[in-house]
Amino acid sequence: DQQVKQNSPSLSVQEGRISILNCDYTNSMFDYFLWYKKYPAEGPTFLISISSIKDKNEDGRFTVFLNKSAKHLSLHIVPSQPGDSAVYFCAASPKTGANNLFFGTGTRLTVIP
Amino acid sequence: NAGVTQTPKFRVLKTGQSMTLLCAQDMNHEYMYWYRQDPGMGLRLIHYSVGEGTTAKGEVPDGYNVSRLKKQNFLLGLESAAPSQTSVYFCASSPRTSGSSYNEQFFGPGTRLTVL
């Protein structure tokens, strides 16, 4: 049973425009949410995170929004750049445990020059 | 710092063969993890360790064993490989969690395993 879902397998955006990647979760015990970026033949790299006590976290061109009542989070990339083309994974961690992460299935973002 | 390294990068096994995947980290992290990534499934946790000498099961532990004899190393073993274990395996590590803080996981480059 997939506890973290990314319903869009792929997304294409023009360079300079906004990219919006979405993620939904089902487990109300999740306390922390992260986005990872993955290039082919490499491991995932941490991008940005948000605690459940916040509804927004911003880091440069990247902003993550959390809507706890809807169990939904989104990643906004503005402006999008060709180097942002990668697979983006949403991940969530519960209040207990050893930082264990539950991952979504990923969204492949393509930024068109 | 090399971060998290994994050995080997690629491996092809025949059904029934055994092998060990090695993960090493030089960041002095307490926690270490093994994931597998399959098409359309995202990353799923196999086993994890909260410290030297301790291991625990994740979401998909069947068919795998692990050991953490040294803090910097986390080994993943397949005793009798099956085609269903064809996957990309990622190791990760993170510092210990304290209080309400959260520390992200750092991932290795992955091992691509094919079981024929």
Side-chain angles (χ1 to χ4, degrees):
Chain A
D1 185 26
Q2 194 77 21
Q3 299 186 57
V4 179
K5 301 178 183 179
Q6 294 176 257
N7 292 320
S8 298
S10 62
L11 175 68
S12 291
V13 173
Q14 290 286 339
E15 180 179 3
R17 305 295 291 269
I18 184 171
S19 295
I20 300 176
L21 293 86
N22 294 303
C23 177
D24 297 294
Y25 62 95
T26 58
N27 190 340
S28 58
M29 292 299 292
F30 287 146
D31 190 44
Y32 211 84
F33 303 89
L34 305 88
W35 285 93
Y36 278 82
K37 178 179 180 179
K38 185 183 181 303
Y39 292 117
E42 295 183 9
T45 56
F46 170 73
L47 188 59
I48 192 169
S49 63
I50 188 167
S51 166
S52 62
I53 63 174
K54 296 185 177 181
D55 54 18
K56 177 183 175 181
N57 187 28
E58 191 172 354
D59 184 0
R61 296 186 297 115
F62 303 91
T63 303
V64 56
F65 296 91
L66 175 62
N67 182 335
K68 283 181 291 184
S69 60
K71 292 189 174 66
H72 176 83
L73 66 156
S74 61
L75 173 68
H76 292 208
I77 306 173
V78 182
S80 300
Q81 299 174 354
D84 296 330
S85 296
V87 177
Y88 289 78
F89 289 99
C90 171
S93 183
K95 290 182 172 67
T96 59
N99 294 353
N100 288 0
L101 288 176
F102 293 82
F103 281 85
T105 52
T107 296
R108 181 178 302 277
L109 173 66
T110 302
V111 180
I112 304 165
Chain B
N1 286 353
V4 180
T5 58
Q6 294 183 230
T7 308
K9 288 184 168 53
F10 303 93
R11 185 73 186 267
V12 178
L13 289 179
K14 294 181 179 179
T15 297
Q17 287 185 318
S18 63
M19 77 163 294
T20 300
L21 283 68
L22 170 65
C23 175
Q25 52 96 4
D26 61 2
M27 298 175 282
N28 201 35
H29 286 168
E30 290 291 335
Y31 300 165
M32 295 188 74
Y33 315 82
W34 275 107
Y35 293 88
R36 60 178 288 174
Q37 185 193 7
D38 302 296
M41 298 292 291
L43 281 79
R44 292 180 293 169
L45 183 64
I46 304 171
H47 286 279
Y48 65 97
S49 168
V50 298
E52 184 178 320
T54 71
T55 63
K57 295 180 180 179
E59 295 176 75
V60 288
D62 294 342
Y64 305 95
N65 56 76
V66 288
S67 63
R68 182 110 181 259
L69 300 180
K70 294 182 179 180
K71 184 177 183 179
Q72 64 268 32
N73 295 336
F74 195 27
L75 306 180
L76 178 70
L78 287 74
E79 291 186 348
S80 179
S84 61
Q85 294 178 304
T86 293
S87 188
V88 181
Y89 293 85
F90 290 102
C91 176
S93 70
S94 75
R96 180 192 301 276
T97 298
S98 60
S100 61
S101 68
Y102 185 91
N103 296 305
E104 68 268 18
Q105 296 180 17
F106 296 80
F107 283 80
T111 295
R112 184 174 294 275
L113 175 66
T114 301
V115 182
L116 302 176

